[in-house]
């Protein structure tokens, strides 16, 4: 991470006095002194085993006070420092225990700190307790989603959407209650591919519960998802097939998907063979998602009819496949296609 | 030549007495003195002090002459009052420290041996630098390894999350699909069962209706004649002329009869009343003449009836 301000870092004492002395300097009134001390702290705490030295109660309280400082540079630096601290497990736990989330949620509106705060929150979400705590931020994030401006950079948007995805995975019901599907739908047809991908991932998380599936079908999200399916990017295809796979469980979803002519695309994705081992391993989730989508669609009469024509291709692909999981999924699909009441 | 040492107490050169009393006499050199007193000492007579006093002295100088001491030795000696004094001083150094005792060094025994150190004997750079280099390189590697491990830890956490999500995404749609299928089938089954039940119910209803109809028809077969009979009995089938005569003519007739009879009755009552009135009036006339007159004017009916009743009360 580059240093935004051009102040050289403060001199660092040796050994175990480094952090306490720098912490003392943080209490001094001058802005420059604090900036320099923060820069020095970031350098010190980035070294491998020195991060947890700073996890004393007083220091964290001090950082919390500094998060509400008037100077944006100071706030940005404190966020960077917290990001460095969150690289360790004990750091993450300490941050969660010291209830840093309310001041951090205030900083989400602050332009210089936003990106760092998102990175920090995504690191915090690596813990299950972190994800649960992040759910407290959910109302604020939903509000932010509602009033999203277009001038933000793509990276920040992508980070924001991935954070939303974590929250949705933890508790999709709460998100659905706040109309998440309707708010997220415009993002799917947004310009940049990254944003579409991240939005599709979030939508996939939302469409896991039944209510979500119903809403996805109601809100006419599937056309945008089908458009995303045509992209060349693997992750975009993966997320799109995921959404389709979950949404096609309901009858309405199935019919919409058939109507959008998704079946041939899924078939192509599922039966596309690659010789390269790595490529195949990378594409495994994509193949599985596509085949599951096909299975869902094969439960409709029309889908079954279309797939019965393609049955030899499916059988052949299933036999050629070495991976046990994919074989099992193919077999399920074939079972559903050849089902007779 | 060994000189005889005189007694220091009897030595004439040693001045006795106060320094300011007498001038010094010529000091006699010890050689002269000894030579003078060499021979007589062997033949000393009497105590020494007496001998000294009685010693023969040089006769006094002739007038105009003075005795002068003359040296007749071969070498002249300068005589002066002031004795040749040579001063020598001897003084120890002031506060001279006692020098330290020299260290006891044992007498050297054994053979001497010599040695010479050349370049590279004591210090070999290549060897010495190795451990330092090892530490430097090792610490750098360790730090970098730790940093890489930290990054890997984070990446592993994220990969674990992703793997979990993948596994979840593998199983979850299947579960949902099967759940949905189950739900559809269950609903279909229930719908069909409900339909079947409804059909059964309808059938049963129809059968019951048919049975009921048959029963009622059977029961109601001889209902109509009995109904008609009872109706006739009740009088619902009537002759209209007869009914008309009964309902309209007879009441009127009876009313007229009643009125005539009532008139007769009334006339009789009036007569009775009048008779009684006259009787009472003759009895009560004395006291209440005016009152009864006024009452009489308003109408014979009311006063007579009052009176009549009163009298009736009295009499009965």
């Amino acid at each position: 991470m580059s240093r935004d301000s051009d102040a050289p870092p403060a001199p660092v004492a040796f050994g175990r006095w480094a952090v306490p002395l720098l912490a003392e300097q943080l209490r001094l009134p001058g802005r420059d002194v604090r900036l320099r001390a923060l820069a020095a702290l970031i350098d010190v705490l980035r070294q491998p085993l020195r991060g947890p030295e700073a996890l004393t109660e007083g220091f964290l309280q001090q950082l919390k006070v500094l998060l509400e400082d008037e100077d944006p540079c100071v706030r940005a630096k404190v966020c960077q420092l917290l990001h460095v601290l969150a690289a360790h497990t004990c750091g993450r736990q300490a941050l969660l225990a010291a209830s840093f989330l309310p001041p951090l949620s205030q900083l989400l509106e602050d332009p210089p700190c936003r990106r760092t705060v998102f990175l920090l929150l995504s690191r915090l979400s690596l813990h299950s307790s972190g994800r649960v705590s992040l759910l407290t931020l959910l109302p604020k994030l939903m509000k932010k989603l509602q009033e999203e401006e277009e001038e933000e950079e793509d990276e920040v948007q992508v980070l924001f959407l991935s954070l939303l995805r974590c929250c949705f995975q933890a508790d999709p019901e709460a998100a659905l209650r706040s109309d998440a599907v309707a708010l997220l739908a415009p993002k799917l047809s947004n310009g940049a591919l990254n944003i579409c991908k991240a939005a599709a991932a979030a939508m996939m998380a939302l469409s896991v519960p039944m209510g979500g599936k119903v809403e996805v079908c109601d809100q006419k999200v599937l056309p945008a998802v089908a458009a995303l399916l045509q992209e060349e990017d693997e992750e975009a295809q993966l997320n799109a097939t995921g959404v389709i796979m979950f949404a096609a469980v309901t009858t309405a979803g199935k019919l919409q998907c058939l109507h959008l002519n998704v079946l041939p695309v899924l078939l192509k994705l599922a039966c596309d063979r690659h010789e390269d081992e790595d490529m195949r391993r990378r594409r495994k989730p994509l193949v599985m998602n596509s085949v599951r989508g096909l299975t869902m669609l094969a439960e409709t009469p029309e889908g079954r009819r279309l797939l019965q024509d393609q049955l030899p291709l499916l059988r052949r692909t299933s036999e050629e496949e070495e991976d046990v999981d994919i074989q099992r999924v193919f077999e399920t699909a074939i079972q559903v296609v050849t089902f007779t009441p | 030549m060994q000189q005889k040492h005189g007694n220091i107490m009897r030595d004439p050169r040693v001045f006795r007495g106060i320094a300011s009393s007498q001038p010094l006499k010529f000091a006699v050199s010890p050689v002269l003195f000894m030579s003078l007193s060499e021979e007589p000492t062997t033949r000393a007579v009497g105590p020494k002090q007496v001998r000294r006093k009685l010693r023969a002295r040089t006769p006094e100088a002739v007038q105009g002459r003075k005795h002068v001491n003359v040296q007749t030795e071969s070498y002249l000696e300068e005589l002066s009052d002031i004795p040749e004094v040579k001063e020598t001083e001897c003084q120890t150094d002031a506060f001279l420290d006692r020098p330290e005792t020299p260290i006891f060094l044992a007498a050297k025994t054994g053979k001497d041996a010599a040695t010479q150190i050349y370049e590279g004997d004591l210090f070999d750079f290549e060897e010495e630098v190795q451990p330092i280099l090892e530490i430097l390189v090792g610490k750098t590697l360790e730090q970098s390894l730790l940093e890489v491990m930290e990054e890997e830890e984070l990446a592993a956490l994220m990969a674990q999350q992703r793997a979990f999500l993948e596994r979840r995404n593998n199983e979850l749609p299947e579960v949902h699909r099967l759940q949905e299928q189950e739900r559809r089938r269950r609903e279909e089954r229930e719908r069909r069962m409900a339909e079947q039940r409804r059909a059964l119910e309808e059938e049963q209803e129809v059968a019951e209706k048919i049975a009921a109809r048959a029963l009622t028809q059977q029961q109601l077969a001889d209902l109509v004649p009995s109904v008609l009979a009872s109706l006739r009995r009740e009088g619902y089938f009537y002759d209209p002329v007869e009914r008309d005569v009964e309902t309209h003519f007879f009441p009127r007739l009876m009313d007229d009869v009643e009125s005539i009879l009532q008139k007769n009755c009334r006339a009789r009552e009036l007569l009775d009343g009048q008779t009684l009135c006259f009787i009472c009036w003759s009895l009560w006339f004395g006291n209440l003449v005016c009152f009864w007159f006024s009452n009489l004017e308003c109408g014979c009916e009311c006063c007579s009836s009052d009176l009549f009743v009163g009298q009736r009360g009295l009499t009965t």
Side-chain angles (χ1 to χ4, degrees):
Chain A
M1 277 174 258
S2 59
R3 288 189 209 120
D4 298 333
S5 68
D6 40 4
V12 174
F14 182 74
R16 68 185 176 87
W17 276 110
V19 172
L21 283 180
L22 287 171
E24 276 305 310
Q25 282 192 13
L26 282 180
R27 283 185 232 271
L28 300 174
R31 165 193 179 262
D32 289 329
V33 173
R34 270 189 257 180
L35 276 175
R36 291 176 65 202
L38 282 169
L41 269 171
I42 292 175
D43 282 336
V44 165
L45 294 177
R46 205 181 287 162
Q47 290 165 20
L49 292 174
R50 300 197 71 173
E53 272 179 28
L55 293 176
T56 52
E57 192 55 44
F59 186 68
L60 288 178
Q61 292 299 329
Q62 175 114 36
L63 286 183
K64 238 205 264 194
V65 167
L66 280 177
L67 272 179
E68 282 144 24
D69 199 64
E70 299 126 2
D71 188 24
C73 285
V74 170
R75 288 200 294 264
K77 280 242 180 281
V78 173
C79 289
Q80 280 182 13
L81 184 58
L82 288 174
H83 182 59
V84 166
L85 276 179
H88 306 267
T89 310
C90 40
R92 290 195 281 270
Q93 282 168 346
L95 285 180
L96 287 170
S99 65
F100 264 87
L101 284 176
L104 282 177
S105 62
Q106 300 288 331
L107 285 177
L108 279 176
E109 271 102 37
D110 212 354
C113 313
R114 220 181 300 191
R115 187 173 161 278
T116 327
V117 171
F118 277 132
L119 283 170
L120 172 62
L121 289 175
S122 63
R123 270 197 186 169
L124 282 179
S125 73
L126 288 172
H127 278 235
S128 54
S129 54
R131 282 198 283 278
V132 167
S133 317
L134 277 181
L135 283 176
T136 54
L137 285 184
L138 189 62
K140 211 159 159 56
L141 289 175
M142 297 308 305
K143 208 156 57 100
K144 198 167 151 62
L145 188 59
Q146 233 170 358
E147 57 198 36
E148 198 57 49
E149 305 115 24
E150 292 303 321
E151 299 97 44
E152 271 198 33
E153 340 165 329
D154 287 351
E155 197 192 345
V156 176
Q157 288 232 13
V158 168
L159 283 171
F160 174 50
L161 286 169
S162 62
L163 192 65
L164 275 178
R165 181 172 65 98
C166 286
C167 290
F168 293 163
Q169 268 163 5
D171 190 5
E173 307 285 343
L176 286 170
R177 276 196 292 272
S178 1
D179 261 347
V181 178
L183 292 170
L184 201 54
K187 301 266 175 211
L188 279 172
S189 33
N190 204 340
L193 186 61
N194 288 343
I195 303 182
C196 295
K197 278 195 298 190
M203 194 65 83
M204 184 161 69
L206 273 179
S207 53
V208 166
M210 199 61 194
K213 292 193 231 279
V214 168
E215 276 225 28
V216 161
C217 299
D218 285 340
Q219 301 274 350
K220 309 270 183 290
V221 163
L222 287 172
V225 174
L228 199 59
L229 202 58
Q230 312 279 354
E231 299 280 345
E232 289 299 324
D233 188 35
E234 266 182 27
E235 206 180 317
Q237 285 176 335
L238 180 68
N239 291 340
T241 45
V243 177
I244 289 176
M245 169 177 81
F246 277 116
V249 172
T250 56
T251 318
K254 283 198 238 274
L255 294 172
Q256 272 193 21
C257 289
L258 281 173
H259 188 64
L260 288 166
N261 215 4
V262 153
L263 203 114
V265 185
L266 284 180
L267 203 59
K268 181 165 148 330
L269 282 173
C271 302
D272 214 359
R273 292 283 299 156
H274 284 260
E275 293 313 318
D276 188 18
E277 181 71 40
D278 279 338
M279 198 64 167
R280 258 186 282 155
R281 205 180 16 198
R282 264 213 328 264
R283 287 185 88 242
K284 179 178 163 187
L286 180 60
V287 168
M288 295 194 67
N289 281 5
S290 324
V291 178
R292 291 231 186 269
L294 285 174
T295 320
M296 307 292 171
L297 291 178
E299 291 188 335
T300 54
E302 195 186 321
R304 188 173 289 136
R305 191 170 41 86
L306 284 171
L307 279 173
Q308 264 175 353
D309 299 335
Q310 304 291 336
L311 202 55
L313 174 63
L314 284 175
R315 277 199 224 268
R316 200 173 53 239
T317 322
S318 159
E319 276 150 28
E320 283 175 2
E321 197 56 62
E322 291 134 8
D323 200 328
V324 179
D325 297 328
I326 304 188
Q327 264 190 345
R328 205 159 16 123
V329 172
F330 264 106
E331 271 166 27
T332 325
I334 292 172
Q335 257 180 12
V336 172
V337 170
T338 52
F339 167 76
T340 47
Chain B
M1 179 171 55
Q2 206 166 6
Q3 288 181 11
K4 220 171 172 192
H5 297 288
N7 193 355
I8 197 169
M9 297 298 286
R10 301 270 185 265
D11 197 345
R13 290 173 296 176
V14 179
F15 178 74
R16 278 182 195 78
I18 309 167
S20 55
S21 60
Q22 278 175 32
L24 275 172
K25 295 215 171 76
F26 272 133
V28 179
S29 67
V31 178
L32 278 174
F33 179 67
M34 285 303 136
S35 62
L36 277 175
S37 60
E38 207 173 355
E39 282 149 338
T41 44
T42 50
R43 317 175 260 151
V45 179
K48 275 192 188 162
Q49 296 229 352
V50 173
R51 268 187 290 184
R52 202 173 284 139
K53 275 201 173 109
L54 294 176
R55 213 174 344 173
R57 299 210 186 266
T58 319
E60 295 287 335
V62 177
Q63 207 177 19
R65 289 205 184 190
K66 199 170 146 186
H67 282 309
V68 171
N69 285 340
V70 169
Q71 290 181 24
T72 50
E73 275 87 20
S74 27
Y75 299 104
L76 289 173
E77 207 179 292
E78 189 186 331
L79 298 171
S80 73
D81 219 355
I82 304 164
E84 222 173 275
V85 174
K86 231 190 229 169
E87 285 186 4
T88 41
E89 272 184 16
C90 175
Q91 175 70 33
T92 56
D93 286 333
F95 304 119
L96 195 63
D97 288 333
R98 178 177 173 275
E100 289 165 22
T101 325
I103 302 168
F104 171 70
L105 288 170
K108 179 174 141 327
T109 52
K111 284 169 80 162
D112 273 343
T115 178
Q116 172 72 27
I117 304 208
Y118 295 100
E119 277 275 337
D121 279 346
L122 283 180
F123 180 75
D124 184 18
F125 181 72
E126 303 294 323
E127 269 180 52
E128 300 299 327
V129 90
Q130 235 177 0
I132 299 178
L133 265 183
E134 273 175 21
I135 290 177
L136 276 175
V137 171
K139 275 252 178 264
T140 318
L141 278 178
E142 201 184 303
Q143 280 242 342
S144 42
L145 267 178
L146 281 169
E147 283 184 15
V148 165
M149 269 187 348
E150 281 191 358
E151 284 175 22
E152 268 186 18
E153 183 196 344
L154 279 175
L157 269 175
M158 287 203 225
Q160 200 186 30
Q161 266 196 345
R162 220 177 308 134
F164 166 72
L165 273 178
E166 264 182 37
R167 263 206 321 271
R168 183 170 170 261
N169 283 351
N170 285 344
E171 306 302 326
L172 211 52
E174 189 62 26
V175 167
H176 286 184
R177 184 183 71 85
L178 289 171
Q179 269 177 352
E180 190 65 21
Q181 202 182 42
E182 193 54 43
R183 188 190 64 89
R184 276 202 309 267
R185 288 189 181 162
R186 188 169 26 104
E187 279 185 8
E188 186 67 33
R189 210 177 308 140
E190 276 177 12
R191 229 179 295 141
R192 286 198 186 166
M193 272 173 55
E195 215 179 289
Q196 187 80 349
R197 224 177 289 132
R198 214 177 15 245
L200 268 176
E201 272 177 17
E202 276 180 13
E203 216 179 283
Q204 211 175 8
E205 224 177 278
V206 163
E208 272 179 10
K209 272 190 189 164
I210 291 173
R213 176 177 288 212
L215 186 66
T216 43
Q217 269 187 353
Q218 188 195 1
Q219 288 222 335
L220 294 177
D222 55 345
L223 185 67
V224 171
S226 65
V227 162
L228 284 175
S230 63
L231 277 177
R232 201 171 291 121
R233 200 174 44 248
E234 296 292 316
Y236 285 92
F237 300 121
Y238 54 83
D239 185 14
V241 173
E242 201 183 331
R243 180 54 65 86
D244 192 32
V245 162
E246 274 180 20
T247 48
H248 293 117
F249 180 67
F250 273 131
R252 237 194 358 227
L253 186 67
M254 294 309 291
D255 283 341
D256 289 340
V257 165
E258 199 181 327
S259 64
I260 289 169
L261 283 175
Q262 263 187 353
K263 273 187 196 150
N264 284 341
C265 220
R266 189 82 184 133
R268 284 204 190 102
E269 277 174 10
L270 276 173
L271 189 62
D272 284 344
Q274 287 288 349
T275 319
L276 204 60
C277 184
F278 274 122
I279 294 170
C280 292
W281 197 13
S282 62
L283 287 174
W284 291 97
F285 187 74
N287 291 330
L288 301 165
V289 169
C290 305
F291 182 66
W292 289 123
F293 264 125
S294 63
N295 275 348
L296 210 73
E297 279 179 26
C298 78
C300 214
E301 299 278 333
C302 50
C303 96
S304 68
S305 55
D306 280 343
L307 189 61
F308 200 55
V309 167
Q311 281 303 312
R312 276 231 181 111
L314 277 173
T315 50
T316 55

